[in-house]
């Protein structure tokens, strides 16, 4: 009797998907052909406090599908888990061991990844979730070459569990995975701001948004873009980051087309 298919068995249900998923020479010209989109967990939450709002997740999924299908940009997504649990905050507030608390945070990212995968697939987009901590009943394990193959076939890939290690964040994971899968840029979608400012725009009305800023300036001024480990990793590996407002419809597409420029490019 043949073995039951495992999470490691290659799926054939969308085997007809193109094997060269690339922007068409005659269509709109995206700035990059493979990117990592970093979504904070809070992007999934509803304003009244529920950790996951189905309508919001469906809206994010439809924007992702729009850039996949129209711009033919290969999209890998790193999901955060801050809407469910943050290791450091949880450890401090509840007295939980920090490493354990970080594992709880990593499990939170899996919940978000499954919600997003479900929303994408319900709208017809083939999607694979890969986890940095193995949970083969739920998702594939993270395998770099396999992730790249999925992208080439036009599947969306979601990376969950961060990089699998405590004391890290999903921002750093986005940088690491982007370098590993040879993505050309990181799109950091936020729900709180539309870019990087020279001061806090909530308290300083004179604060100015940068259209472009260097890694060194972000580090020296401690501008709140991503955590500093992620920024220095991007600097060392020459990975551009665009920080933009995820809550405004059409912004993923706008960032990829770059015209008019939105958000802040860190490079
Ligand atoms: N985390 C971790 N290692 C990783 C990524 C995440 O330990 O590689 C844990 C950490 O506790 C973190 C939580 O998962 O607070 C949720 O991730 P993050 O804070 O990056 O989520 P976001 O702020 O993007 O929603």
């Amino acid at each position: 009797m043949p073995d039951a298919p495992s999470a490691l068995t290659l799926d054939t249900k969308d085997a007809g998907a193109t094997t060269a998923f690339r922007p068409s020479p005659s269509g709109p010209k995206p700035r990059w052909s493979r990117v990592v989109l970093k979504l904070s967990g809070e992007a999934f939450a509803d304003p009244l406090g529920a950790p996951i709002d189905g309508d919001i997740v469906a809206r994010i999924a439809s924007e992702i599908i729009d850039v996949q299908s129209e711009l033919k940009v290969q999209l890998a997504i790193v999901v955060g888990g801050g809407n469910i649990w943050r290791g450091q905050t949880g450890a401090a507030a509840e007295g939980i061991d920090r490493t354990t608390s970080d594992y709880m945070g990593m499990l939170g990212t899996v919940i978000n990844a499954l919600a997003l995968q479900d929303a994408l697939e319900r709208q017809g987009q083939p999607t694979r979730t890969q986890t940095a901590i193995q949970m083969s009943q739920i998702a594939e394990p993270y395998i770099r070459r396999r992730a790249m193959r999925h992208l080439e076939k036009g599947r969306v890939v979601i990376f969950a569990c961060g990089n699998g290690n405590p004391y890290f964040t999903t921002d750093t994971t986005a940088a690491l995975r982007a370098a590993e899968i040879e993505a050309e840029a990181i799109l950091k979608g936020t729900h709180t701001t539309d870019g990087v400012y020279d001061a806090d725009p909530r308290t300083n009305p004179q604060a100015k948004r940068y259209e472009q800023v260097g890694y060194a300036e972000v580090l020296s001024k401690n501008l709140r873009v991503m955590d500093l480990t992620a920024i220095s990793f991007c600097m060392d590996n020459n990975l551009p980051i665009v920080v933009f407002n995820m809550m405004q419809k059409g912004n993923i597409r706008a960032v990829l087309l770059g015209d008019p420029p939105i958000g802040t490019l860190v490079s």
Side-chain angles (χ1 to χ4, degrees):
M1 206 169 106
D3 288 342
S6 73
L8 280 171
T9 312
L10 260 181
D11 238 314
T12 50
K13 74 174 178 223
D14 52 336
T18 171
T19 52
F21 188 82
R22 297 246 171 272
S24 125
S26 55
K29 300 266 174 301
R31 289 196 273 181
W32 303 288
S33 57
R34 176 179 293 167
V35 296
V36 166
L37 172 66
K38 163 68 210 294
L39 294 177
S40 294
E42 267 143 21
F44 291 21
D46 89 6
L48 300 176
I52 295 182
D53 179 319
D55 291 341
I56 292 178
V57 181
R59 203 259 307 152
I60 294 173
S62 77
E63 289 211 34
I64 290 168
I65 293 169
D66 173 57
V67 297
Q68 275 276 120
S69 58
E70 297 255 322
L71 304 183
K72 300 273 187 285
V73 172
Q74 298 179 18
L75 264 180
I77 301 167
V78 170
V79 286
N83 54 328
I84 295 169
W85 188 263
R86 277 184 206 285
Q88 194 171 13
T89 325
E94 310 298 336
I96 297 174
D97 165 70
R98 170 67 193 268
T99 299
T100 304
S101 189
D102 278 336
Y103 281 122
M104 292 166 69
M106 286 185 253
L107 293 177
T109 70
V110 181
I111 296 175
N112 289 333
L114 294 181
L116 182 60
Q117 173 177 267
D118 178 78
L120 285 163
E121 292 200 324
R122 267 191 291 144
Q123 294 178 48
Q125 170 61 51
T127 305
R128 300 292 182 274
T129 298
Q130 295 198 341
T131 54
I133 296 171
Q134 288 209 25
M135 39 187 86
S136 57
Q137 286 86 348
I138 295 178
E140 294 179 4
Y142 170 62
I143 300 173
R144 169 186 176 256
R145 291 171 64 122
R146 197 182 170 94
M148 292 166 81
R149 183 78 183 123
H150 287 320
L151 294 172
E152 286 161 7
K153 287 192 155 194
R155 297 170 185 149
V156 167
V157 177
I158 305 175
F159 295 126
C161 286
N163 65 22
N165 296 294
Y167 293 94
F168 283 90
T169 64
T170 52
D171 279 358
T172 306
T173 306
L176 173 66
R177 293 286 185 252
E180 286 181 279
I181 65 166
E182 297 164 18
E184 296 150 296
I186 299 172
L187 314 188
K188 157 97 177 169
T190 80
H191 61 290
T192 47
T193 169
D194 59 354
V196 183
Y197 284 76
D198 58 0
D200 187 343
R202 285 169 303 187
T203 52
N204 182 349
Q206 310 301 324
K208 284 208 188 65
R209 178 170 63 82
Y210 294 96
E211 257 187 36
Q212 190 162 353
V213 63
Y215 303 109
E217 192 167 345
V218 171
L219 289 170
S220 66
K221 294 190 176 158
N222 196 8
L223 300 173
R224 301 250 150 235
V225 179
M226 288 173 111
D227 62 73
L228 301 184
T229 315
I231 296 293
S232 54
F233 184 95
C234 289
M235 180 165 80
D236 289 348
N237 295 287
N238 217 2
L239 265 168
I241 307 159
V242 184
V243 182
F244 70 103
N245 183 350
M246 187 60 219
M247 302 322 275
Q248 198 158 326
K249 201 166 179 293
N251 270 1
I252 306 179
R253 184 191 184 87
V255 168
L256 286 167
L257 292 176
D259 183 26
I262 62 159
T264 299
L265 173 67
V266 185
S267 62

